[in-house]
Amino acid sequence: MSTNDAEFVRLLEDHKKILYRVVNGYCNNPSDRQDLAQDIVVQLWKAFDRFDDRKRFSTWMYRVALNVAISFYRSESRRVKSTVPVEDYVLEIAAEEPSGGRAEENLRQLERYIEQLDGLNRALMILYLDGNQYETIAEILGITVTNVATKLSRIKQRFRREFEESQTKD
Amino acid sequence: MELEELKAIWEGQNDKLDAIIRLNSQALQKAKLVKADTALGRLYRSILLEVILNIGGIVLLGWFISSNLAQVRFVIPAIVLDACLIAVNAALIGQMTAIKDIDYGAPIVTIQHKVELLRIQRIETMKWTLVFCPLVWVPLLIVSFQGLFGVDVYAVFGVPYLLANFAFGLAVIPIAVWISKRFAGRVSRSPFLERAMRVIAGSELGAAMDSLAELTRFEAPASEN
């Protein structure tokens, strides 16, 4: 393995949560998740030569991962995609015991809410929940900071309203 | 419950994720990644193959035209076919250039714009290819019979038969559009046929234009939305 490849694997290992969050944010089906994870990793690896190491790896990785994920459902390639063989899964996720607590229930509700959003707003939401600054979100998405703030404010209002409605129904 | 509170729970999951996610180092080995390809890479290769096959067709038609220069009745259909192939190839080369211009490391809105424009280019090419299919088959019949078997189709079938076929081809186009608009949603068992019908009916292009409009809205200052 060359120095460049080793560096790539190290950076990917350090940022594997981005891969997990994006894949989970855009796919419900486990086999789709593995296809998407594979597609993102291959795209990252092929584009790694163009990565400017003066910039943050996480910003670049978010851009690549989200661009691939958004295109995944829109592009015609989805119709001819091949399922990745089990031994080639790049992302292995150990089974976790559901805690079943209130926090987990709220998280499931949040995930359901994210699923309702279109590809771009879903990206915005994932970036926000992952704790990115508005400036970083704007840089990744290619929109202004003011636009990010306004869109997030609307999403928050809508979420609060839907959450309250669901609580009333329960 | 506020989104900020859920954000804290979401971030709190990070430690748990570190424990349950593992990257498969075998799958990450360079050899496997070299062999693997991206969706765009696969699309690029399939378009390249189409371009190469079309170039073969263009060369053969060029040879046919030069061999039959004195016979206008063969040259004209060959020129029609050649023009179609050149037009298709120009569109395909445009798509290949568009694919090369897509760098997923660039901002999402910029890249998704390019991806949608590429999708529209693909749909337009497919639509015109499908629409012109019923019309080009008569010239194809004339040229292929003369070129491959030395058979003069004008003499064998007669001009009225060929004109009737051309007229039938013309009539088929609006019928195909009507059938596609009416039944595209009912052939889900055949994804290729369903897509072809959606393309002819214009719904595929409509969906792509909607996505583009959605992107523009997302990009515009929020007060304009």
Side-chain angles (χ1 to χ4, degrees), chain A residues 42-103:
Chain A
V42 172
Q43 190 69 54
L44 284 165
W45 186 79
K46 286 190 186 288
F48 189 57
D49 287 343
R50 290 198 295 268
F51 165 61
D52 179 354
D53 57 10
R54 287 168 301 180
K55 294 185 176 167
R56 284 170 61 191
F57 182 79
S58 61
T59 303
W60 178 78
M61 185 170 170
Y62 268 120
R63 280 179 172 177
V64 174
L66 288 167
N67 268 319
V68 175
I70 295 169
S71 305
F72 189 74
Y73 278 103
R74 284 184 176 162
S75 79
E76 57 197 328
S77 63
R78 186 172 171 248
R79 294 169 224 269
V80 293
K81 72 188 166 68
S82 57
T83 304
V84 179
V86 174
E87 65 272 18
D88 288 343
Y89 280 5
V90 287
L91 201 60
E92 294 173 341
I93 302 157
E96 55 170 322
E97 285 293 316
S99 59
R102 185 75 188 165

Side-chain angles (χ1 to χ4, degrees), chain B residues 52-138:
Chain B
I52 292 169
L53 290 173
N54 285 348
I55 288 173
I58 291 166
V59 169
L60 283 174
L61 282 165
W63 168 80
F64 179 87
I65 292 167
S66 66
S67 311
N68 293 279
L69 264 181
Q71 295 169 291
V72 180
R73 66 185 197 283
F74 293 126
V75 170
I76 289 174
I79 288 174
V80 169
L81 290 177
D82 219 6
C84 289
L85 278 184
I86 290 168
V88 169
N89 248 21
L92 293 176
I93 290 167
Q95 290 170 24
M96 286 167 69
T97 312
I99 292 174
K100 282 285 172 202
D101 194 34
I102 293 174
D103 169 13
Y104 276 155
I108 290 164
V109 167
T110 311
I111 292 307
Q112 291 308 311
H113 249 288
K114 290 182 177 178
V115 169
E116 280 310 315
L117 288 175
L118 171 66
R119 186 178 161 204
I120 288 169
Q121 274 181 283
R122 301 263 314 143
I123 293 167
E124 291 279 14
T125 308
M126 191 176 176
K127 184 177 93 179
W128 290 114
T129 307
L130 289 170
V131 165
F132 275 108
C133 262
L135 294 181
V136 295
W137 97 266
V138 176

Side-chain angles (χ1 to χ4, degrees), chain B residues 199-219:
Chain B
V199 166
I200 294 172
S203 40
E204 196 84 351
L205 187 62
M209 298 301 276
D210 287 348
S211 295
L212 205 56
E214 184 188 305
L215 267 164
T216 309
R217 277 198 302 276
F218 187 84
E219 204 178 6

Side-chain angles (χ1 to χ4, degrees), chain B:
Chain B
M1 172 69 71
E2 294 290 333
L3 199 55
E4 277 82 0
E5 294 171 59
L6 282 174
K7 185 183 170 194
I9 302 173
W10 177 280
E11 284 175 343
Q13 266 195 327
N14 281 346
D15 293 338
K16 197 163 74 172
L17 286 180
D18 268 331
I20 64 164
I21 307 171
R22 202 176 72 82
L23 287 174
N24 180 348
S25 54
Q26 292 292 317
L28 284 174
Q29 277 175 6
K30 188 180 176 182
K32 288 196 173 178
L33 288 173
V34 167
K35 273 187 245 162
D37 205 353
T38 58
L40 274 184
R42 287 190 291 271
L43 181 61
Y44 186 85
R45 277 205 318 278
S46 74
I47 296 175
L48 180 64
L49 182 66
E50 277 182 73
V51 168
I52 292 169
L53 290 173
N54 285 348
I55 288 173
I58 291 166
V59 169
L60 283 174
L61 282 165
W63 168 80
F64 179 87
I65 292 167
S66 66
S67 311
N68 293 279
L69 264 181
Q71 295 169 291
V72 180
R73 66 185 197 283
F74 293 126
V75 170
I76 289 174
I79 288 174
V80 169
L81 290 177
D82 219 6
C84 289
L85 278 184
I86 290 168
V88 169
N89 248 21
L92 293 176
I93 290 167
Q95 290 170 24
M96 286 167 69
T97 312
I99 292 174
K100 282 285 172 202
D101 194 34
I102 293 174
D103 169 13
Y104 276 155
I108 290 164
V109 167
T110 311
I111 292 307
Q112 291 308 311
H113 249 288
K114 290 182 177 178
V115 169
E116 280 310 315
L117 288 175
L118 171 66
R119 186 178 161 204
I120 288 169
Q121 274 181 283
R122 301 263 314 143
I123 293 167
E124 291 279 14
T125 308
M126 191 176 176
K127 184 177 93 179
W128 290 114
T129 307
L130 289 170
V131 165
F132 275 108
C133 262
L135 294 181
V136 295
W137 97 266
V138 176
L140 184 65
L141 183 78
I142 296 166
V143 171
S144 57
F145 268 65
Q146 176 65 18
L148 296 173
F149 314 114
V151 174
D152 183 350
V153 170
Y154 291 101
V156 175
F157 298 113
V159 174
Y161 174 84
L162 295 176
L163 284 175
N165 270 282
F166 187 77
F168 178 75
L170 269 178
V172 158
I173 295 170
I175 295 169
V177 172
W178 181 81
I179 291 175
S180 299
K181 280 185 177 169
R182 199 163 166 83
F183 299 108
R186 300 190 197 174
V187 287
S188 53
R189 272 180 294 180
S190 168
F192 178 79
L193 184 62
E194 185 186 15
R195 172 131 203 268
M197 289 173 82
R198 280 176 53 83
V199 166
I200 294 172
S203 40
E204 196 84 351
L205 187 62
M209 298 301 276
D210 287 348
S211 295
L212 205 56
E214 184 188 305
L215 267 164
T216 309
R217 277 198 302 276
F218 187 84
E219 204 178 6
S223 56
E224 292 177 18
N225 294 341

